[in-house]
Amino acid sequence: MAKLIFFLAVQILVLAVVSSTGDEGDNFARTIDRKLLGLHNKEKLTHFKVYWHDILSGPNPTSIMIQPPVTNSTTYFGGITMIDNALTAKVPTNSTLVGQAQGFYAGAAQKELGFLMAMNFVFKTGKYNGSTITILGRNTPFSEVREMPIVGGSGLFRFARGYVEARTKWFNLKNGDATVEYSCYVLHY
Protein backbone atom coordinates (compact mmCIF):
# COMPACT_ATOMS: atom_id res chain seq x y z
CA MET A 1 0.00 0.00 0.00
CA ALA A 2 2.87 2.36 0.79
CA LYS A 3 4.29 1.79 -2.69
CA LEU A 4 0.93 2.63 -4.28
CA ILE A 5 0.62 5.86 -2.29
CA PHE A 6 4.22 6.81 -3.18
CA PHE A 7 3.56 6.08 -6.88
CA LEU A 8 0.37 8.19 -6.87
CA ALA A 9 2.15 11.05 -5.07
CA VAL A 10 4.92 11.05 -7.69
CA GLN A 11 2.35 11.04 -10.51
CA ILE A 12 0.48 14.00 -8.96
CA LEU A 13 3.77 15.89 -8.51
CA VAL A 14 4.78 15.28 -12.15
CA LEU A 15 1.35 16.35 -13.37
CA ALA A 16 1.53 19.52 -11.28
CA VAL A 17 4.98 20.42 -12.65
CA VAL A 18 3.96 19.79 -16.26
CA SER A 19 0.74 21.76 -15.98
CA SER A 20 2.47 24.66 -14.21
CA THR A 21 4.83 25.25 -17.13
CA GLY A 22 1.87 26.53 -19.15
CA ASP A 23 3.25 24.90 -22.30
CA GLU A 24 0.45 25.06 -24.86
CA GLY A 25 2.67 23.62 -27.58
CA ASP A 26 4.25 27.00 -28.32
CA ASN A 27 7.80 25.84 -27.54
CA PHE A 28 8.32 23.36 -30.37
CA ALA A 29 10.60 25.67 -32.37
CA ARG A 30 13.51 27.93 -31.56
CA THR A 31 15.95 30.18 -33.37
CA ILE A 32 19.49 28.83 -33.63
CA ASP A 33 22.80 30.28 -34.71
CA ARG A 34 23.40 29.80 -38.49
CA LYS A 35 27.05 28.99 -37.75
CA LEU A 36 26.03 25.75 -36.03
CA LEU A 37 24.90 24.43 -39.45
CA GLY A 38 27.80 25.86 -41.44
CA LEU A 39 25.65 28.63 -42.95
CA HIS A 40 28.28 31.28 -42.19
CA ASN A 41 30.40 29.91 -45.04
CA LYS A 42 30.26 31.52 -48.45
CA GLU A 43 27.60 29.99 -50.70
CA LYS A 44 29.01 28.05 -53.69
CA LEU A 45 27.63 27.50 -57.18
CA THR A 46 28.35 24.01 -58.52
CA HIS A 47 27.67 22.97 -62.11
CA PHE A 48 27.72 19.37 -63.24
CA LYS A 49 26.34 17.33 -66.11
CA VAL A 50 25.01 13.78 -65.85
CA TYR A 51 23.16 11.44 -68.18
CA TRP A 52 19.87 9.92 -66.97
CA HIS A 53 19.04 6.51 -68.44
CA ASP A 54 15.31 5.64 -68.40
CA ILE A 55 15.10 1.94 -69.30
CA LEU A 56 11.58 0.53 -69.67
CA SER A 57 12.54 -2.54 -71.77
CA GLY A 58 14.46 -5.74 -71.26
CA PRO A 59 14.86 -8.06 -68.29
CA ASN A 60 16.05 -5.34 -65.86
CA PRO A 61 14.03 -2.16 -66.43
CA THR A 62 14.90 0.86 -64.27
CA SER A 63 11.44 2.40 -64.74
CA ILE A 64 8.28 0.55 -63.75
CA MET A 65 4.72 1.78 -64.39
CA ILE A 66 2.85 1.48 -61.09
CA GLN A 67 -0.37 3.22 -62.19
CA PRO A 68 -1.53 3.08 -65.82
CA PRO A 69 -2.89 6.25 -67.42
CA VAL A 70 -6.62 6.80 -67.72
CA THR A 71 -7.97 4.63 -70.51
CA ASN A 72 -8.80 7.39 -73.01
CA SER A 73 -5.56 9.32 -72.51
CA THR A 74 -3.08 9.83 -75.35
CA THR A 75 -0.84 11.94 -73.08
CA TYR A 76 -0.15 9.40 -70.26
CA PHE A 77 -2.45 11.50 -68.02
CA GLY A 78 -2.83 9.82 -64.62
CA GLY A 79 -0.01 7.33 -65.22
CA ILE A 80 2.73 7.00 -62.61
CA THR A 81 6.16 5.46 -63.16
CA MET A 82 8.69 4.74 -60.39
CA ILE A 83 12.34 5.12 -61.34
CA ASP A 84 15.75 4.00 -60.18
CA ASN A 85 17.68 5.24 -63.20
CA ALA A 86 21.44 5.23 -63.63
CA LEU A 87 23.23 8.58 -63.77
CA THR A 88 26.42 8.36 -65.81
CA ALA A 89 29.28 10.69 -66.69
CA LYS A 90 28.83 10.27 -70.46
CA VAL A 91 26.00 9.36 -72.88
CA PRO A 92 26.68 5.59 -73.21
CA THR A 93 24.88 3.54 -70.57
CA ASN A 94 28.11 1.69 -69.78
CA SER A 95 30.09 4.88 -69.00
CA THR A 96 31.13 5.73 -65.44
CA LEU A 97 28.23 5.45 -62.99
CA VAL A 98 28.08 8.55 -60.76
CA GLY A 99 24.75 7.89 -59.05
CA GLN A 100 21.07 7.03 -59.32
CA ALA A 101 17.94 9.05 -60.03
CA GLN A 102 15.28 7.73 -57.66
CA GLY A 103 11.68 8.88 -57.56
CA PHE A 104 8.77 9.00 -59.95
CA TYR A 105 7.22 10.79 -62.90
CA ALA A 106 3.49 11.15 -63.38
CA GLY A 107 1.37 12.21 -66.34
CA ALA A 108 -0.01 15.56 -65.18
CA ALA A 109 -1.25 17.18 -68.41
CA GLN A 110 -4.41 16.26 -70.31
CA LYS A 111 -3.73 18.01 -73.63
CA GLU A 112 0.02 17.37 -74.07
CA LEU A 113 2.72 15.05 -72.80
CA GLY A 114 3.71 16.71 -69.52
CA PHE A 115 5.09 15.03 -66.41
CA LEU A 116 5.38 15.95 -62.77
CA MET A 117 8.95 14.89 -61.94
CA ALA A 118 9.86 14.16 -58.31
CA MET A 119 13.28 12.61 -57.90
CA ASN A 120 16.49 12.58 -55.94
CA PHE A 121 19.86 12.43 -57.62
CA VAL A 122 21.79 10.18 -55.23
CA PHE A 123 25.53 10.53 -55.84
CA LYS A 124 27.76 7.49 -55.33
CA THR A 125 31.27 8.58 -56.29
CA GLY A 126 33.92 11.15 -55.49
CA LYS A 127 33.54 13.94 -52.98
CA TYR A 128 29.74 14.00 -53.50
CA ASN A 129 29.33 10.33 -52.49
CA GLY A 130 26.26 10.08 -50.23
CA SER A 131 24.98 13.56 -51.09
CA THR A 132 21.69 14.20 -52.90
CA ILE A 133 19.80 16.90 -54.73
CA THR A 134 16.01 16.91 -54.99
CA ILE A 135 14.30 17.92 -58.24
CA LEU A 136 10.59 18.68 -58.33
CA GLY A 137 9.01 20.21 -61.40
CA ARG A 138 7.29 20.02 -64.77
CA ASN A 139 8.86 18.13 -67.66
CA THR A 140 7.47 18.31 -71.21
CA PRO A 141 9.68 15.71 -72.93
CA PHE A 142 8.98 16.92 -76.48
CA SER A 143 10.45 20.36 -75.69
CA GLU A 144 14.09 20.74 -76.68
CA VAL A 145 15.11 22.06 -73.22
CA ARG A 146 13.12 21.57 -70.02
CA GLU A 147 13.95 23.51 -66.86
CA MET A 148 13.06 22.13 -63.44
CA PRO A 149 13.87 23.48 -59.98
CA ILE A 150 16.22 21.97 -57.43
CA VAL A 151 14.30 22.29 -54.17
CA GLY A 152 16.78 20.87 -51.67
CA GLY A 153 19.53 18.43 -50.95
CA SER A 154 21.55 16.57 -48.36
CA GLY A 155 25.19 15.98 -47.46
CA LEU A 156 27.38 18.49 -49.31
CA PHE A 157 24.18 19.85 -50.88
CA ARG A 158 22.35 20.77 -47.64
CA PHE A 159 20.17 23.85 -48.14
CA ALA A 160 20.60 23.42 -51.92
CA ARG A 161 18.60 25.36 -54.45
CA GLY A 162 18.96 25.86 -58.16
CA TYR A 163 17.73 24.35 -61.38
CA VAL A 164 18.40 21.68 -63.96
CA GLU A 165 18.12 21.77 -67.73
CA ALA A 166 17.06 18.48 -69.33
CA ARG A 167 17.82 17.67 -72.99
CA THR A 168 16.89 14.37 -74.61
CA LYS A 169 19.98 12.82 -76.22
CA TRP A 170 18.43 9.55 -77.36
CA PHE A 171 14.91 8.12 -77.50
CA ASN A 172 13.72 4.73 -78.77
CA LEU A 173 10.19 5.08 -80.20
CA LYS A 174 9.59 1.30 -80.09
CA ASN A 175 10.24 0.62 -76.41
CA GLY A 176 10.33 4.06 -74.75
CA ASP A 177 13.94 3.85 -73.52
CA ALA A 178 15.65 7.24 -73.32
CA THR A 179 18.85 8.99 -72.34
CA VAL A 180 18.52 12.56 -71.08
CA GLU A 181 21.31 15.02 -70.33
CA TYR A 182 20.81 16.88 -67.04
CA SER A 183 22.85 20.05 -66.70
CA CYS A 184 22.61 21.00 -63.01
CA TYR A 185 23.25 24.41 -61.40
CA VAL A 186 23.28 24.09 -57.60
CA LEU A 187 23.71 26.82 -54.98
CA HIS A 188 24.84 25.32 -51.65
CA TYR A 189 27.10 25.98 -48.67
Side-chain angles (χ1 to χ4, degrees):
M1 185 70 163
K3 288 183 182 180
L4 178 60
I5 293 171
F6 177 76
F7 176 76
L8 290 173
V10 170
Q11 294 299 318
I12 291 169
L13 182 59
V14 168
L15 183 60
V17 170
V18 169
S19 63
S20 69
T21 63
D23 184 6
E24 301 293 325
D26 297 333
N27 297 323
F28 68 92
R30 64 186 171 98
T31 303
I32 62 172
D33 187 349
R34 294 169 58 93
K35 292 177 184 176
L36 293 174
L37 295 175
L39 297 178
H40 62 289
N41 298 330
K42 186 177 178 189
E43 196 170 31
K44 299 179 270 287
L45 174 62
T46 300
H47 173 256
F48 55 91
K49 193 179 289 185
V50 294
Y51 295 89
W52 181 89
H53 301 280
D54 197 38
I55 309 299
L56 292 93
S57 67
N60 296 311
T62 63
S63 295
I64 304 289
M65 183 187 307
I66 60 168
Q67 170 66 45
V70 291
T71 55
N72 61 354
S73 175
T74 58
T75 63
Y76 194 75
F77 181 66
I80 302 172
T81 298
M82 293 301 296
I83 64 168
D84 187 11
N85 292 346
L87 296 172
T88 61
K90 304 253 186 240
V91 173
T93 56
N94 63 352
S95 66
T96 304
L97 181 72
V98 297
Q100 297 293 127
Q102 298 171 333
F104 70 89
Y105 54 86
Q110 293 186 47
K111 299 189 185 326
E112 66 179 325
L113 188 62
F115 296 122
L116 164 65
M117 303 290 293
M119 62 184 164
N120 292 309
F121 281 8
V122 182
F123 298 99
K124 297 185 174 185
T125 60
K127 79 177 198 176
Y128 299 110
N129 184 23
S131 297
T132 68
I133 61 170
T134 301
I135 298 162
L136 177 67
R138 182 171 190 261
N139 182 359
T140 53
F142 292 136
S143 298
E144 184 178 340
V145 179
R146 290 89 68 195
E147 187 176 303
M148 291 169 273
I150 295 171
V151 297
S154 67
L156 291 178
F157 293 123
R158 282 188 194 129
F159 294 101
R161 66 188 195 283
Y163 71 99
V164 299
E165 292 178 347
R167 292 174 175 82
T168 302
K169 299 310 252 179
W170 176 79
F171 178 68
N172 185 322
L173 281 171
K174 290 182 182 178
N175 62 22
D177 292 355
T179 298
V180 179
E181 174 189 280
Y182 275 83
S183 190
C184 308
Y185 299 87
V186 188
L187 284 167
H188 60 99
Y189 289 94

